[in-house]
């Protein structure tokens, strides 16, 4: 091993300028020691340094000597730095940069030392060997926070931030003015430079993300990894899980796990969007009943599987109004606290209409009222999940019910997102979104959610494997366009042409997506793109993997779940633009 101290630096640097050293193919330890300087002391030292430089310049001028370009450049830098420190725009730090080069044999070490010093020289850095202080150099390069060499240079805030080891030159830095954005997450490492890809969705103009890739490309793995690392930083998460892949993760972090399709879990689409205020009073928006009626049109369109004709829509609207009236709920807010009607009441209202269109609609509702699919809708809503992580599992739902279950869960999730009393950064994850987007009404609801989530400090994550089907619809392309963070994993040959056209991929990016390994992908944020590979620690991997071979040891073990209180009623809301100022009390007079 041979240790070096960096004593000379370039005059100007760019973010990520230390990447060549950090990504050197051999074994090189880069140690950066930082010590802040007191602002008063910094100002005094800058003043003295400026006086020395000015005295030297005047001496040369008075004696007719030629100006020294290095002294002129140093004087300008000191003037600029003094002004920024005086205005509070930056601070000064003592920085020590040390390198430890390792090799197995002395001959190989000599070659590695020559290569590293050449690389440092290409970066305009001067490296001096610690010949007579080898022990101090070795200790300084260890991760112990001890600088025994103390061969330091003064850096300002801008230069020090550019030397941050995790800065990726391929992605723009987050907006420093975004004081409300939580810290970003580590996605993985850069396949081109071996640097780290660290990204903050909440620092962009919108917080949405879309993950596209074929089956087995690692979509769910990446989404779960981002979700877990977001939980570390205080970001809440609400997940729609079609395959029950988030159960172990939820149990490990103390989240709530709700299994739709279980006998005691029901959702009533007729529940009005009423919430409890800080003073305990029940409040709702002024147009809550109208919005709920509009949502019921969307829900019933997904339920029957096709767009109703104008005559059927008119009959359905009249039946919805009659259903609420039959339950004693009118436009008077004082009636909204009464128990909401159920799907069976709507079927009865359609039969009472005695029109052929109404009778046909009632016949289509029969399987969901009295038939095999009635368990989810039969009765009042029985769940009210809350917490830092809430997972809605759809695995136990029949395939015919999954689009409706996804829509109802999204509606319930959105009610929590728009609640002004619980405003905090949130991620809303819709895994396998094609289940909802194959229905036009469901895709429209997801699009409106993507448009409005930014206003409520929420980021929508849409992950799907049916890339071609999503890109084939206007609403699918609109959802992708409203995602500032776009991640493309390995694509199928049949879908690569649509992906290339939609994302304007180069030929190299196209070939990369066709041959990418599992977990490798392309992170796109507008004009910036970077190829990366997701990495997880062993503990994280154990929680997020869905490999059947790795999950086999867990077979037969009882899964831990957080009990969910199902005694209280829980209302769902499709209002994507609730204004708290428009809330009114709905308690009885």
């Amino acid at each position: 091993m041979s240790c070096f101290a960096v004593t000379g630096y370039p005059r100007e640097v760019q973010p990520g300028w230390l990447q060549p050293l950090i990504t050197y193919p051999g074994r090189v330890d880069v140690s950066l020691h930082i010590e802040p300087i007191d602002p008063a002391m910094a100002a005094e030292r800058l003043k003295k340094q400026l006086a020395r430089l000015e005295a030297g310049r005047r001496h040369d001028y008075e004696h007719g000597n030629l100006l020294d370009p290095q002294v002129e450049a140093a004087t300008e830098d000191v003037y600029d730095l003094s002004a920024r420190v005086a205005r509070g725009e930056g601070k000064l730090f003592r920085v020590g940069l040390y390198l430890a080069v390792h090799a197995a044999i002395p001959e190989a070490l000599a070659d590695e030392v020559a290569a590293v010093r050449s690389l440092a020289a290409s970066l305009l850095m001067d490296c001096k060997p610690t010949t007579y202080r080898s022990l101090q150099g070795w200790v300084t390069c260890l991760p112990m926070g001890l600088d025994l060499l103390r061969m330091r240079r003064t850096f300002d805030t801008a230069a020090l931030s550019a030397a941050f080891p995790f800065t990726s030159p391929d992605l723009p830095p987050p907006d420093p003015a975004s004081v409300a954005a939580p810290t970003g997450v580590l996605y993985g490492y850069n396949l081109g430079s071996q640097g780290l890809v660290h990204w903050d969705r909440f620092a962009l103009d919108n917080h949405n993300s879309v993950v596209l890739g074929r089956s087995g490309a690692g979509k769910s793995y990446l989404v779960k990894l981002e979700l877990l690392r977001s939980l570390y930083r205080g970001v809440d998460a609400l997940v729609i899980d079609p395959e029950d892949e988030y159960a172990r993760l939820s149990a490990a972090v103390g989240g709530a796990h709700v299994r739709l399709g279980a006998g005691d879990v029901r959702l009533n689409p007729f529940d009005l969007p009423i919430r409890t205020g800080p003073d305990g009073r029940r409040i709702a928006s002024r147009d809550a009943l109208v919005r709920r009626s509009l949502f019921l049109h969307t829900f019933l369109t997904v339920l029957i599987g096709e767009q109703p004709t104008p005559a059927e829509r008119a009959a359905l609207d009249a039946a919805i109004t009659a259903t609420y009236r039959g339950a004693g709920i009118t436009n008077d807010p004082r009636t909204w606290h009464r128990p909401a009607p159920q799907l069976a009441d709507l079927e009865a209202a359609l039969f009472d209409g005695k029109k052929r269109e109404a009778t046909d609609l009632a016949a289509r509702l029969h399987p969901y009222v009295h038939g095999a699919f009635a368990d989810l809708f039969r009765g009042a809503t029985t769940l009210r999940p809350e917490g830092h992580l809430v997972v809605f599992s759809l695995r136990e739902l029949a395939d015919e019910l999954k689009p409706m279950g996804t829509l109802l869960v999204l509606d319930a999730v959105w009610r929590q997102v728009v609640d002004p009393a619980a405003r905090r950064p949130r991620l809303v994850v819709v895994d396998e979104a094609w289940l909802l987007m194959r229905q036009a009404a469901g895709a429209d609801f997801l699009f409106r959610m993507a448009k409005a989530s930014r206003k409520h400090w929420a980021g929508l994550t849409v992950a799907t494997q049916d890339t071609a089907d999503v890109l084939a619809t206007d609403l699918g392309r609109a959802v992708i366009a409203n995602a500032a963070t776009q991640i493309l994993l390995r694509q199928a040959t049949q879908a690569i042409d649509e992906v290339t056209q939609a994302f304007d991929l180069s030929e190299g990016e196209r070939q990369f997506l066709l041959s990418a390994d599992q977990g490798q992908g392309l992170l796109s944020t507008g004009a910036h793109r970077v190829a990366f590979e997701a990495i997880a620690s062993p503990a994280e991997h154990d929680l997020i993997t869905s490999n059947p071979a790795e999950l086999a040891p867990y077979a037969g073990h009882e899964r831990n779940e957080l009990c969910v209180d199902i005694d209280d009623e829980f209302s769902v809301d499709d209002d994507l633009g609730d204004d708290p100022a428009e809330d009114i009390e709905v308690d009885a007079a």
Side-chain angles (χ1 to χ4, degrees):
M1 182 191 72
S2 182
C3 297
F4 296 86
V6 178
T7 57
Y9 295 86
R11 182 168 182 251
E12 295 182 358
V13 294
Q14 298 295 329
W17 67 284
L18 284 180
Q19 280 293 321
L21 282 176
I22 298 174
T23 59
Y24 180 75
R27 183 184 173 188
V28 176
D29 296 336
V30 180
S31 179
L32 195 65
H33 293 263
I34 303 169
E35 179 184 345
I37 300 177
D38 181 71
M41 183 185 299
E44 183 65 24
R45 290 187 176 182
L46 286 173
K47 184 179 179 180
K48 292 180 179 180
Q49 179 70 9
L50 187 58
R52 285 194 294 267
L53 291 173
E54 283 292 354
R57 293 175 65 188
R58 293 182 182 183
H59 179 272
D60 292 339
Y61 178 77
E62 292 172 355
H63 291 76
N65 298 331
L66 294 176
L67 296 178
D68 188 346
Q70 293 185 353
V71 174
E72 292 295 316
T75 304
E76 293 177 6
D77 291 343
V78 174
Y79 268 116
D80 179 64
L81 185 57
S82 299
R84 284 190 280 117
V85 170
R87 290 193 298 264
E89 296 178 358
K91 296 182 179 180
L92 296 185
F93 303 85
R94 296 187 185 91
V95 178
L97 180 59
Y98 310 100
L99 308 177
V101 183
H102 300 262
I105 57 177
E107 293 78 7
L109 180 61
D111 294 338
E112 290 290 337
V113 166
V116 172
R117 297 193 71 175
S118 298
L119 177 60
S122 69
L123 299 175
L124 302 181
M125 292 191 299
D126 187 15
C127 297
K128 300 296 184 182
T130 59
T131 305
Y132 299 105
R133 291 194 291 173
S134 301
L135 176 61
Q136 290 86 340
W138 175 63
V139 173
T140 300
C141 292
L142 292 176
M144 299 172 60
L146 299 176
D147 184 2
L148 302 185
L149 294 175
R150 302 189 68 82
M151 300 179 67
R152 301 180 178 182
R153 179 74 173 267
T154 301
F155 277 39
D156 66 338
T157 304
L160 180 59
S161 63
F164 187 63
F166 297 156
T167 301
S168 174
D170 302 301
L171 292 174
D175 183 8
S178 181
V179 296
T183 307
V185 299
L186 174 66
Y187 276 47
Y189 66 87
N190 191 325
L191 291 176
S193 65
Q194 298 302 305
L196 297 179
V197 178
H198 193 268
W199 191 241
D200 186 2
R201 290 168 49 181
F202 287 88
L204 304 180
D205 52 358
N206 75 67
H207 318 321
N208 300 332
S209 172
V210 60
V211 183
L212 304 177
R214 75 176 194 181
S215 177
K219 298 183 307 300
S220 297
Y221 190 93
L222 177 61
V223 171
K224 284 183 281 188
L225 182 63
E226 182 192 21
L227 185 150
L228 181 59
R229 290 174 175 171
S230 297
L231 290 174
Y232 298 159
R233 290 160 174 82
V235 180
D236 289 359
L238 301 144
V239 182
I240 300 177
D241 178 15
E243 296 297 334
D244 202 20
E245 296 182 1
Y246 292 76
R248 295 175 55 249
L249 174 60
S250 175
V253 301
H257 190 206
V258 180
R259 296 180 182 276
L260 272 72
D264 57 350
V265 176
R266 293 186 296 274
L267 294 173
N268 184 11
F270 286 84
D271 285 336
L272 288 174
I274 300 173
R275 62 179 182 270
T276 302
D279 55 356
R281 296 183 179 180
R282 304 178 71 189
I283 56 177
S285 59
R286 294 183 180 276
D287 56 352
L289 183 59
V290 175
R291 291 183 179 274
R292 183 51 27 176
S293 299
L294 293 175
F295 170 75
L296 285 171
H297 279 280
T298 301
F299 169 73
L300 293 169
T301 299
V302 176
L303 194 70
I304 63 179
E306 61 183 18
Q307 287 286 345
T309 64
E312 291 175 338
R313 192 173 183 85
L316 189 58
D317 188 71
I320 291 174
T321 303
T323 301
Y324 276 115
R325 190 182 302 114
I329 299 175
T330 64
N331 290 327
D332 186 354
R334 292 178 297 179
T335 65
W336 294 353
H337 69 284
R338 296 172 180 172
Q342 299 175 18
L343 200 59
D345 300 322
L346 177 63
E347 182 195 34
L350 287 170
F351 276 123
D352 291 341
K354 298 180 180 178
K355 293 183 179 180
R356 182 175 59 82
E357 295 83 0
T359 305
D360 291 344
L361 287 173
R364 296 183 192 180
L365 292 180
H366 180 81
Y368 307 99
V369 177
H370 307 289
F373 306 138
D375 288 342
L376 183 61
F377 314 108
R378 183 184 296 151
T381 299
T382 58
L383 58 94
R384 187 176 181 175
E386 295 179 352
H388 58 284
L389 173 63
V390 180
V391 178
F392 296 89
S393 174
L394 308 180
R395 184 175 184 178
E396 296 184 13
L397 281 179
D399 291 341
E400 293 81 359
L401 285 179
K402 284 186 177 179
M404 286 78 75
T406 304
L407 183 60
L408 287 176
V409 169
L410 272 176
D411 185 50
V413 164
W414 191 251
R415 181 181 182 274
Q416 297 190 43
V417 170
V418 301
D419 187 0
R423 187 64 51 83
R424 60 178 65 92
R426 282 190 175 94
L427 289 180
V428 179
V429 179
V430 184
D431 207 344
E432 300 299 345
W434 63 272
L435 291 170
L436 184 63
M437 298 186 70
R438 63 185 178 184
Q439 298 283 347
D444 181 66
F445 186 92
L446 198 63
F447 168 67
R448 289 185 285 125
M449 192 173 181
K451 293 274 286 186
S453 60
R454 179 187 61 84
K455 302 176 183 178
H456 303 282
W457 207 6
L460 177 65
T461 299
V462 176
T464 182
Q465 63 183 4
D466 286 359
T467 307
D469 292 345
V470 173
L471 295 176
T473 64
D474 294 337
L475 287 174
R477 290 192 295 270
V479 170
I480 294 176
N482 278 275
T485 302
Q486 301 168 346
I487 300 176
L488 301 176
L489 303 179
R490 184 169 184 175
Q491 301 293 321
T493 306
Q494 297 81 357
I496 193 62
D497 291 334
E498 291 86 350
V499 174
T500 301
Q501 182 178 3
F503 293 92
D504 193 21
L505 302 179
S506 65
E507 183 61 28
E509 292 169 340
R510 172 191 173 102
Q511 294 301 322
F512 168 71
L513 292 180
L514 286 174
S515 59
D517 292 334
Q518 189 176 38
Q520 294 181 350
L522 192 67
L523 172 61
S524 175
T525 58
H528 301 274
R529 292 177 180 172
V530 57
F532 74 100
E533 180 171 353
I535 55 174
S537 67
E540 290 173 327
H541 177 81
D542 184 61
L543 293 177
I544 65 181
T545 182
S546 57
N547 188 335
E550 296 177 350
L551 295 178
Y554 297 98
H557 289 267
E558 183 178 0
R559 287 173 290 190
N560 297 323
E561 298 178 12
L562 182 67
C563 294
V564 178
D565 185 4
I566 62 174
D567 294 330
D568 297 332
E569 292 187 359
F570 173 56
S571 302
V572 290
D573 181 18
D574 76 317
D575 184 2
L576 300 188
D578 262 350
D579 185 357
E582 297 296 324
D583 290 345
I584 57 176
E585 297 181 19
V586 298
D587 287 329

